Amino acid sequence: MSALLTKQPRAAFAELSMTNARELLRDGKTMFFILFFPLFFLGLFWFLAHTIDAESPQPVVAVTASSGSEAVVNELEEAGFTVSELPDGRTTDEATAIVSVEGSSATVLLDAEEEPQWRGLVDAVAGTGIAKADIATAYSDGRAVFDPLRSSLASIVMVSFLTLAMLGTSVPVVALRGKGTLRLLGTTPLRRATFIAAQTPSRFLLGIAQLALVVTVTAALGYLSPGAVPRLILTALLGLIMLFALGYLIGSRAGNAEATTTVVSLLIPVALMLSGSVIPLEVFPPQVAEVIGWLPTTVLADALAVDLVGDSSAANLPIAWMVMAGVAIAAALLATALFRWDQGERR
C-alpha cells in the first residue's frame, strides 16, 4: 500500500496519450473510416484498372532481337501470347505490341489504334527478372499508358492520412469541446501544446499502418524499389505531421462536431479529385492547375508518387519537403495560439 501511495503519477503527456489511444480504439465509426478508406480505394482502382484492360483486344507480340530477347519470348509463349522474334532494325505490320529489352530494362510499345491489353504483357516481361518500374509502356503515337491503380496509389496514401487527420483528429477534439470535457481540462495546469501533442502518438501509429498497407501492395505489384523506402518514409512522416497540424488547426476553434464532420467529409473527396489521380490537372486552365499543384494535399501526393511508384517527374522532393515542413510549422503555431478550451472562451 505504501508503495502505491508513494508512486508518482505519469506525466500529463503520457497519461493523455494513453487515454486518447483507448478512446480512439473504442470509437468504432472513426476507426471504420480510417481503416476503410485505403482498402476501399485500393479495391476501386484495382477493379477499374483490370476492367479497362480486360476490355481491350489481346496483343500480337513481337520481341526485338537482343541478348535478353530469347528469355522474353519464352516467357511470353508460356503466358499464352502469340509472339515472334523481330530482327533488330526490322518492322512488322502484324504485331500490335513490340517489346524491346535493353539490359535490365525494357520498353513495351503498343499500337495506338488497337490499344491492346498490356497488363499481362508487362507481367510476363517482368517474369524474366526485369523490375516493373524499369518497364516503360507507351502507345506508338507517344501517349503514355494510363494505369488507374499505379497512378492512384500515392493519392490513396494521401487520402488515408487526410482521413486520419480530419475525421480521426479534428472531429474528436471538437466533440470533446462540445461535451465540455475541454472546459474541465482548461481548469487544470494542462498546457494547450501538451494537449495537442498528446493526440499524436496513437494516430501516428495508425498512419504508419496505413502506409505499410499501401507499400505492401505497391511492392507486390513491383512498382516500389527497396532503395527508395527510406526517402518514402521521410516524405510520409512530413506529410503526416503537416496534415495533423492542419487537423489540429481546424479542431482548435470549431465548436460543432456534426458540422465539422460534414465539412471534412466533403474535403476528403475534393482533395482526392484535385490530386491528379482522378482528374488530370491538364484539364484545368494553366493558372488553375498551377494553384492546385501547390495545395498541401496535392504536394504530398506528388511527393509520395516519386518513390512509391517510381514517378520521378511527379515532384521536386526537396521543394516538396520544404513546402510540407513550412505548412506544418505554420499550422501548428496557429493551432496552439488559437486553441480554446471552451466554446465561449475569448482570447
Side-chain angles (χ1 to χ4, degrees):
M1 177 66 70
S2 59
L4 291 175
L5 292 175
T6 57
K7 182 179 179 180
Q8 295 296 318
R10 286 182 292 186
F13 176 82
E15 193 69 47
L16 279 172
S17 296
M18 292 297 297
T19 301
N20 186 261
R22 287 193 293 267
E23 290 300 318
L24 182 62
L25 292 174
R26 290 172 184 166
D27 189 345
K29 184 169 69 173
T30 299
M31 288 298 298
F32 170 77
F33 280 106
I34 289 173
L35 298 176
F36 169 77
F37 267 102
L39 291 173
F40 170 76
F41 285 116
L42 280 171
L44 173 63
F45 287 107
W46 179 90
F47 174 78
L48 289 175
H50 285 77
T51 300
I52 293 172
D53 193 53
E55 293 175 350
S56 301
Q58 279 282 346
V60 176
V61 187
V63 179
T64 302
S66 67
S67 58
S69 60
E70 183 178 353
V72 173
V73 169
N74 292 336
E75 191 71 29
L76 291 173
E77 288 179 339
E78 289 182 8
F81 289 98
T82 301
V83 58
S84 61
E85 192 166 9
L86 187 68
D88 193 18
R90 297 282 299 277
T91 60
T92 176
D93 295 329
E94 298 178 357
T96 58
I98 299 177
V99 178
S100 302
V101 180
E102 299 177 4
S104 60
S105 63
T107 301
V108 176
L109 187 63
L110 306 172
D111 187 288
E113 293 184 4
E114 291 288 335
E115 294 191 0
Q117 294 179 16
W118 61 271
R119 191 174 299 277
L121 180 57
V122 170
D123 289 342
V125 174
T128 63
I130 300 175
K132 284 188 181 179
D134 296 325
I135 302 175
T137 311
Y139 291 111
S140 56
D141 61 1
R143 289 181 295 132
V145 171
F146 178 64
D147 183 351
L149 181 58
R150 182 174 184 176
S151 66
S152 66
L153 286 168
S155 294
I156 290 173
V157 176
M158 181 273 292
V159 168
S160 301
F161 287 175
L162 188 62
T163 303
L164 180 60
M166 299 301 168
L167 290 177
T169 303
S170 298
V171 174
V173 170
V174 175
L176 289 176
R177 183 177 293 111
K179 294 175 183 178
T181 304
L182 293 188
R183 182 193 311 166
L184 295 176
L185 289 175
T187 63
T188 70
L190 181 65
R191 306 166 91 181
R192 289 171 168 80
T194 302
F195 172 79
I196 293 174
Q199 312 300 306
T200 304
S202 57
R203 289 167 171 82
F204 248 97
L205 290 177
L206 283 174
I208 292 172
Q210 290 175 329
L211 177 66
L213 171 64
V214 180
V215 165
T216 300
V217 172
T218 308
L221 292 172
Y223 298 139
L224 180 65
S225 170
V229 172
R231 200 167 57 178
L232 175 62
I233 292 175
L234 174 59
T235 301
L237 289 178
L238 281 173
L240 267 176
I241 294 170
M242 176 186 70
L243 293 180
F244 280 146
L246 292 172
Y248 295 140
L249 179 58
I250 294 174
S252 67
R253 300 294 289 182
N256 188 305
E258 292 184 2
T260 304
T261 301
T262 301
V263 171
V264 299
S265 296
L266 292 173
L267 175 64
I268 291 169
V270 169
L272 176 62
M273 288 187 291
L274 297 181
S275 66
S277 63
V278 177
I279 302 176
L281 297 185
E282 289 78 11
V283 304
F284 296 99
Q287 297 84 353
V288 176
E290 185 174 353
V291 172
I292 293 175
W294 286 104
L295 292 176
T297 49
T298 305
V299 170
L300 172 58
D302 288 344
L304 288 168
V306 173
D307 294 312
L308 191 64
V309 295
D311 187 358
S312 58
S313 63
N316 183 313
L317 278 183
I319 293 178
W321 290 340
M322 287 190 290
V323 169
M324 289 190 288
V327 172
I329 293 171
L333 292 175
L334 282 173
T336 304
L338 298 176
F339 183 87
R340 62 184 183 183
W341 297 110
D342 184 73
Q343 297 184 52
E345 180 184 350
R346 295 290 182 268
R347 292 178 58 85

